[in-house]
PDB file of all heavy atoms in Angstrom:
ATOM      1  N   TYR A 693       5.367 -12.835   0.101  1.00  0.00           N
ATOM      2  CA  TYR A 693       6.427 -12.174   0.892  1.00  0.00           C
ATOM      3  C   TYR A 693       7.811 -12.508   0.332  1.00  0.00           C
ATOM      4  O   TYR A 693       8.608 -11.608   0.056  1.00  0.00           O
ATOM      5  CB  TYR A 693       6.280 -12.663   2.339  1.00  0.00           C
ATOM      6  CG  TYR A 693       7.337 -12.186   3.312  1.00  0.00           C
ATOM      7  CD1 TYR A 693       7.245 -10.934   3.907  1.00  0.00           C
ATOM      8  CD2 TYR A 693       8.403 -13.016   3.668  1.00  0.00           C
ATOM      9  CE1 TYR A 693       8.200 -10.509   4.827  1.00  0.00           C
ATOM     10  CE2 TYR A 693       9.358 -12.594   4.588  1.00  0.00           C
ATOM     11  CZ  TYR A 693       9.248 -11.344   5.163  1.00  0.00           C
ATOM     12  OH  TYR A 693      10.189 -10.921   6.073  1.00  0.00           O
ATOM     13  N   ASP A 694       8.094 -13.771   0.129  1.00  0.00           N
ATOM     14  CA  ASP A 694       9.419 -14.159  -0.375  1.00  0.00           C
ATOM     15  C   ASP A 694       9.615 -13.736  -1.832  1.00  0.00           C
ATOM     16  O   ASP A 694      10.704 -13.305  -2.216  1.00  0.00           O
ATOM     17  CB  ASP A 694       9.643 -15.659  -0.202  1.00  0.00           C
ATOM     18  CG  ASP A 694       9.927 -16.013   1.253  1.00  0.00           C
ATOM     19  OD1 ASP A 694      10.645 -15.233   1.913  1.00  0.00           O
ATOM     20  OD2 ASP A 694       9.407 -17.034   1.730  1.00  0.00           O
ATOM     21  N   ARG A 695       8.558 -13.841  -2.614  1.00  0.00           N
ATOM     22  CA  ARG A 695       8.685 -13.461  -4.031  1.00  0.00           C
ATOM     23  C   ARG A 695       8.955 -11.972  -4.211  1.00  0.00           C
ATOM     24  O   ARG A 695       9.510 -11.547  -5.215  1.00  0.00           O
ATOM     25  CB  ARG A 695       7.426 -13.884  -4.807  1.00  0.00           C
ATOM     26  CG  ARG A 695       7.402 -15.386  -5.108  1.00  0.00           C
ATOM     27  CD  ARG A 695       6.164 -15.779  -5.887  1.00  0.00           C
ATOM     28  NE  ARG A 695       5.025 -15.984  -5.006  1.00  0.00           N
ATOM     29  CZ  ARG A 695       3.808 -15.467  -5.210  1.00  0.00           C
ATOM     30  NH1 ARG A 695       3.562 -14.709  -6.252  1.00  0.00           N
ATOM     31  NH2 ARG A 695       2.833 -15.709  -4.356  1.00  0.00           N
ATOM     32  N   LEU A 696       8.570 -11.164  -3.217  1.00  0.00           N
ATOM     33  CA  LEU A 696       8.828  -9.713  -3.305  1.00  0.00           C
ATOM     34  C   LEU A 696      10.154  -9.323  -2.655  1.00  0.00           C
ATOM     35  O   LEU A 696      10.452  -8.136  -2.528  1.00  0.00           O
ATOM     36  CB  LEU A 696       7.678  -8.939  -2.652  1.00  0.00           C
ATOM     37  CG  LEU A 696       6.337  -8.996  -3.387  1.00  0.00           C
ATOM     38  CD1 LEU A 696       5.241  -8.379  -2.526  1.00  0.00           C
ATOM     39  CD2 LEU A 696       6.408  -8.286  -4.733  1.00  0.00           C
ATOM     40  N   GLY A 697      10.925 -10.313  -2.222  1.00  0.00           N
ATOM     41  CA  GLY A 697      12.226  -9.985  -1.632  1.00  0.00           C
ATOM     42  C   GLY A 697      12.195  -9.819  -0.127  1.00  0.00           C
ATOM     43  O   GLY A 697      13.047  -9.117   0.435  1.00  0.00           O
ATOM     44  N   ALA A 698      11.189 -10.436   0.527  1.00  0.00           N
ATOM     45  CA  ALA A 698      11.068 -10.441   1.993  1.00  0.00           C
ATOM     46  C   ALA A 698      11.126  -9.014   2.558  1.00  0.00           C
ATOM     47  O   ALA A 698      10.775  -8.061   1.857  1.00  0.00           O
ATOM     48  CB  ALA A 698      12.108 -11.373   2.596  1.00  0.00           C
ATOM     49  N   HIS A 699      11.535  -8.873   3.805  1.00  0.00           N
ATOM     50  CA  HIS A 699      11.407  -7.574   4.477  1.00  0.00           C
ATOM     51  C   HIS A 699      12.088  -6.449   3.693  1.00  0.00           C
ATOM     52  O   HIS A 699      11.511  -5.373   3.503  1.00  0.00           O
ATOM     53  CB  HIS A 699      11.975  -7.644   5.903  1.00  0.00           C
ATOM     54  CG  HIS A 699      11.613  -6.444   6.710  1.00  0.00           C
ATOM     55  ND1 HIS A 699      10.498  -6.392   7.518  1.00  0.00           N
ATOM     56  CD2 HIS A 699      12.184  -5.223   6.774  1.00  0.00           C
ATOM     57  CE1 HIS A 699      10.416  -5.187   8.052  1.00  0.00           C
ATOM     58  NE2 HIS A 699      11.428  -4.462   7.624  1.00  0.00           N
ATOM     59  N   GLU A 700      13.290  -6.738   3.213  1.00  0.00           N
ATOM     60  CA  GLU A 700      14.056  -5.684   2.525  1.00  0.00           C
ATOM     61  C   GLU A 700      13.357  -5.224   1.245  1.00  0.00           C
ATOM     62  O   GLU A 700      13.224  -4.018   0.988  1.00  0.00           O
ATOM     63  CB  GLU A 700      15.439  -6.247   2.202  1.00  0.00           C
ATOM     64  CG  GLU A 700      16.504  -5.201   2.049  1.00  0.00           C
ATOM     65  CD  GLU A 700      17.828  -5.840   1.645  1.00  0.00           C
ATOM     66  OE1 GLU A 700      18.124  -6.957   2.115  1.00  0.00           O
ATOM     67  OE2 GLU A 700      18.528  -5.220   0.841  1.00  0.00           O
ATOM     68  N   GLY A 701      12.910  -6.194   0.451  1.00  0.00           N
ATOM     69  CA  GLY A 701      12.241  -5.848  -0.806  1.00  0.00           C
ATOM     70  C   GLY A 701      10.940  -5.116  -0.561  1.00  0.00           C
ATOM     71  O   GLY A 701      10.601  -4.157  -1.272  1.00  0.00           O
ATOM     72  N   ILE A 702      10.208  -5.539   0.470  1.00  0.00           N
ATOM     73  CA  ILE A 702       8.892  -4.940   0.721  1.00  0.00           C
ATOM     74  C   ILE A 702       9.048  -3.537   1.327  1.00  0.00           C
ATOM     75  O   ILE A 702       8.278  -2.629   1.011  1.00  0.00           O
ATOM     76  CB  ILE A 702       8.034  -5.891   1.583  1.00  0.00           C
ATOM     77  CG1 ILE A 702       7.688  -7.135   0.746  1.00  0.00           C
ATOM     78  CG2 ILE A 702       6.770  -5.197   2.076  1.00  0.00           C
ATOM     79  CD1 ILE A 702       7.011  -8.258   1.509  1.00  0.00           C
ATOM     80  N   SER A 703      10.060  -3.325   2.157  1.00  0.00           N
ATOM     81  CA  SER A 703      10.230  -1.963   2.689  1.00  0.00           C
ATOM     82  C   SER A 703      10.659  -1.007   1.575  1.00  0.00           C
ATOM     83  O   SER A 703      10.219   0.152   1.542  1.00  0.00           O
ATOM     84  CB  SER A 703      11.186  -1.924   3.885  1.00  0.00           C
ATOM     85  OG  SER A 703      12.459  -2.311   3.502  1.00  0.00           O
ATOM     86  N   ALA A 704      11.459  -1.481   0.629  1.00  0.00           N
ATOM     87  CA  ALA A 704      11.833  -0.632  -0.514  1.00  0.00           C
ATOM     88  C   ALA A 704      10.588  -0.315  -1.356  1.00  0.00           C
ATOM     89  O   ALA A 704      10.403   0.823  -1.809  1.00  0.00           O
ATOM     90  CB  ALA A 704      12.888  -1.347  -1.366  1.00  0.00           C
ATOM     91  N   LEU A 705       9.723  -1.313  -1.507  1.00  0.00           N
ATOM     92  CA  LEU A 705       8.477  -1.108  -2.254  1.00  0.00           C
ATOM     93  C   LEU A 705       7.594  -0.065  -1.561  1.00  0.00           C
ATOM     94  O   LEU A 705       7.059   0.848  -2.203  1.00  0.00           O
ATOM     95  CB  LEU A 705       7.756  -2.451  -2.348  1.00  0.00           C
ATOM     96  CG  LEU A 705       6.449  -2.504  -3.120  1.00  0.00           C
ATOM     97  CD1 LEU A 705       6.678  -2.191  -4.600  1.00  0.00           C
ATOM     98  CD2 LEU A 705       5.816  -3.886  -2.966  1.00  0.00           C
ATOM     99  N   ALA A 706       7.457  -0.184  -0.227  1.00  0.00           N
ATOM    100  CA  ALA A 706       6.620   0.757   0.533  1.00  0.00           C
ATOM    101  C   ALA A 706       7.148   2.188   0.394  1.00  0.00           C
ATOM    102  O   ALA A 706       6.376   3.143   0.276  1.00  0.00           O
ATOM    103  CB  ALA A 706       6.575   0.342   2.000  1.00  0.00           C
ATOM    104  N   ARG A 707       8.471   2.330   0.368  1.00  0.00           N
ATOM    105  CA  ARG A 707       9.071   3.663   0.234  1.00  0.00           C
ATOM    106  C   ARG A 707       8.750   4.243  -1.145  1.00  0.00           C
ATOM    107  O   ARG A 707       8.397   5.418  -1.264  1.00  0.00           O
ATOM    108  CB  ARG A 707      10.587   3.565   0.454  1.00  0.00           C
ATOM    109  CG  ARG A 707      11.261   4.866   0.766  1.00  0.00           C
ATOM    110  CD  ARG A 707      12.672   4.658   1.303  1.00  0.00           C
ATOM    111  NE  ARG A 707      12.724   4.079   2.633  1.00  0.00           N
ATOM    112  CZ  ARG A 707      12.562   4.765   3.771  1.00  0.00           C
ATOM    113  NH1 ARG A 707      12.316   6.066   3.734  1.00  0.00           N
ATOM    114  NH2 ARG A 707      12.638   4.164   4.941  1.00  0.00           N
ATOM    115  N   THR A 708       8.834   3.423  -2.176  1.00  0.00           N
ATOM    116  CA  THR A 708       8.516   3.904  -3.530  1.00  0.00           C
ATOM    117  C   THR A 708       7.040   4.272  -3.629  1.00  0.00           C
ATOM    118  O   THR A 708       6.687   5.289  -4.230  1.00  0.00           O
ATOM    119  CB  THR A 708       8.886   2.832  -4.584  1.00  0.00           C
ATOM    120  OG1 THR A 708      10.264   2.506  -4.437  1.00  0.00           O
ATOM    121  CG2 THR A 708       8.647   3.331  -5.997  1.00  0.00           C
ATOM    122  N   VAL A 709       6.173   3.468  -3.007  1.00  0.00           N
ATOM    123  CA  VAL A 709       4.739   3.792  -3.024  1.00  0.00           C
ATOM    124  C   VAL A 709       4.530   5.158  -2.369  1.00  0.00           C
ATOM    125  O   VAL A 709       3.835   6.028  -2.929  1.00  0.00           O
ATOM    126  CB  VAL A 709       3.912   2.711  -2.285  1.00  0.00           C
ATOM    127  CG1 VAL A 709       2.464   3.177  -2.097  1.00  0.00           C
ATOM    128  CG2 VAL A 709       3.944   1.385  -3.044  1.00  0.00           C
ATOM    129  N   PHE A 710       5.138   5.382  -1.206  1.00  0.00           N
ATOM    130  CA  PHE A 710       4.952   6.663  -0.513  1.00  0.00           C
ATOM    131  C   PHE A 710       5.482   7.819  -1.371  1.00  0.00           C
ATOM    132  O   PHE A 710       4.833   8.866  -1.491  1.00  0.00           O
ATOM    133  CB  PHE A 710       5.621   6.644   0.866  1.00  0.00           C
ATOM    134  CG  PHE A 710       5.302   7.871   1.673  1.00  0.00           C
ATOM    135  CD1 PHE A 710       4.067   8.013   2.282  1.00  0.00           C
ATOM    136  CD2 PHE A 710       6.222   8.909   1.761  1.00  0.00           C
ATOM    137  CE1 PHE A 710       3.743   9.175   2.984  1.00  0.00           C
ATOM    138  CE2 PHE A 710       5.911  10.071   2.471  1.00  0.00           C
ATOM    139  CZ  PHE A 710       4.675  10.198   3.084  1.00  0.00           C
ATOM    140  N   ASN A 711       6.647   7.628  -1.974  1.00  0.00           N
ATOM    141  CA  ASN A 711       7.200   8.686  -2.844  1.00  0.00           C
ATOM    142  C   ASN A 711       6.264   8.961  -4.023  1.00  0.00           C
ATOM    143  O   ASN A 711       6.065  10.125  -4.403  1.00  0.00           O
ATOM    144  CB  ASN A 711       8.596   8.296  -3.348  1.00  0.00           C
ATOM    145  CG  ASN A 711       9.632   8.321  -2.237  1.00  0.00           C
ATOM    146  OD1 ASN A 711       9.426   8.939  -1.188  1.00  0.00           O
ATOM    147  ND2 ASN A 711      10.748   7.639  -2.448  1.00  0.00           N
ATOM    148  N   ASN A 712       5.696   7.912  -4.590  1.00  0.00           N
ATOM    149  CA  ASN A 712       4.742   8.111  -5.693  1.00  0.00           C
ATOM    150  C   ASN A 712       3.532   8.920  -5.217  1.00  0.00           C
ATOM    151  O   ASN A 712       3.071   9.828  -5.916  1.00  0.00           O
ATOM    152  CB  ASN A 712       4.273   6.756  -6.254  1.00  0.00           C
ATOM    153  CG  ASN A 712       5.352   6.032  -7.044  1.00  0.00           C
ATOM    154  OD1 ASN A 712       6.393   6.599  -7.367  1.00  0.00           O
ATOM    155  ND2 ASN A 712       5.104   4.766  -7.344  1.00  0.00           N
ATOM    156  N   HIS A 713       3.026   8.598  -4.011  1.00  0.00           N
ATOM    157  CA  HIS A 713       1.872   9.346  -3.476  1.00  0.00           C
ATOM    158  C   HIS A 713       2.217  10.832  -3.348  1.00  0.00           C
ATOM    159  O   HIS A 713       1.393  11.693  -3.630  1.00  0.00           O
ATOM    160  CB  HIS A 713       1.498   8.846  -2.082  1.00  0.00           C
ATOM    161  CG  HIS A 713       0.851   7.492  -2.046  1.00  0.00           C
ATOM    162  ND1 HIS A 713       0.416   6.830  -3.164  1.00  0.00           N
ATOM    163  CD2 HIS A 713       0.551   6.681  -0.985  1.00  0.00           C
ATOM    164  CE1 HIS A 713      -0.123   5.669  -2.794  1.00  0.00           C
ATOM    165  NE2 HIS A 713      -0.050   5.555  -1.482  1.00  0.00           N
ATOM    166  N   CYS A 714       3.443  11.114  -2.901  1.00  0.00           N
ATOM    167  CA  CYS A 714       3.835  12.509  -2.659  1.00  0.00           C
ATOM    168  C   CYS A 714       3.984  13.312  -3.939  1.00  0.00           C
ATOM    169  O   CYS A 714       4.047  14.538  -3.895  1.00  0.00           O
ATOM    170  CB  CYS A 714       5.127  12.572  -1.845  1.00  0.00           C
ATOM    171  SG  CYS A 714       4.883  11.982  -0.172  1.00  0.00           S
ATOM    172  N   SER A 715       4.065  12.632  -5.092  1.00  0.00           N
ATOM    173  CA  SER A 715       4.110  13.400  -6.338  1.00  0.00           C
ATOM    174  C   SER A 715       2.862  13.144  -7.189  1.00  0.00           C
ATOM    175  O   SER A 715       2.834  13.493  -8.370  1.00  0.00           O
ATOM    176  CB  SER A 715       5.395  13.092  -7.119  1.00  0.00           C
ATOM    177  OG  SER A 715       5.479  11.727  -7.391  1.00  0.00           O
ATOM    178  N   ASN A 716       1.835  12.554  -6.587  1.00  0.00           N
ATOM    179  CA  ASN A 716       0.581  12.293  -7.310  1.00  0.00           C
ATOM    180  C   ASN A 716      -0.412  13.410  -6.962  1.00  0.00           C
ATOM    181  O   ASN A 716      -0.871  13.513  -5.816  1.00  0.00           O
ATOM    182  CB  ASN A 716       0.049  10.913  -6.879  1.00  0.00           C
ATOM    183  CG  ASN A 716      -1.168  10.491  -7.690  1.00  0.00           C
ATOM    184  OD1 ASN A 716      -1.950  11.329  -8.128  1.00  0.00           O
ATOM    185  ND2 ASN A 716      -1.330   9.190  -7.870  1.00  0.00           N
ATOM    186  N   GLU A 717      -0.744  14.234  -7.971  1.00  0.00           N
ATOM    187  CA  GLU A 717      -1.592  15.421  -7.735  1.00  0.00           C
ATOM    188  C   GLU A 717      -2.938  15.070  -7.098  1.00  0.00           C
ATOM    189  O   GLU A 717      -3.522  15.877  -6.387  1.00  0.00           O
ATOM    190  CB  GLU A 717      -1.850  16.160  -9.055  1.00  0.00           C
ATOM    191  CG  GLU A 717      -0.626  16.827  -9.661  1.00  0.00           C
ATOM    192  CD  GLU A 717       0.009  17.876  -8.750  1.00  0.00           C
ATOM    193  OE1 GLU A 717      -0.733  18.525  -7.985  1.00  0.00           O
ATOM    194  OE2 GLU A 717       1.250  18.022  -8.789  1.00  0.00           O
ATOM    195  N   VAL A 718      -3.453  13.882  -7.378  1.00  0.00           N
ATOM    196  CA  VAL A 718      -4.786  13.509  -6.881  1.00  0.00           C
ATOM    197  C   VAL A 718      -4.778  13.313  -5.364  1.00  0.00           C
ATOM    198  O   VAL A 718      -5.781  13.595  -4.693  1.00  0.00           O
ATOM    199  CB  VAL A 718      -5.278  12.222  -7.596  1.00  0.00           C
ATOM    200  CG1 VAL A 718      -6.630  11.766  -7.059  1.00  0.00           C
ATOM    201  CG2 VAL A 718      -5.345  12.438  -9.096  1.00  0.00           C
TER     202      VAL A 718
END
Side-chain angles (χ1 to χ4, degrees):
Y693 176 82
D694 285 321
R695 283 181 277 132
L696 291 171
H699 192 93
E700 205 183 324
I702 292 172
S703 64
L705 182 64
R707 198 166 290 279
T708 303
V709 170
F710 187 76
N711 290 341
N712 288 349
H713 288 350
C714 292
S715 58
N716 186 329
E717 292 300 328
V718 177

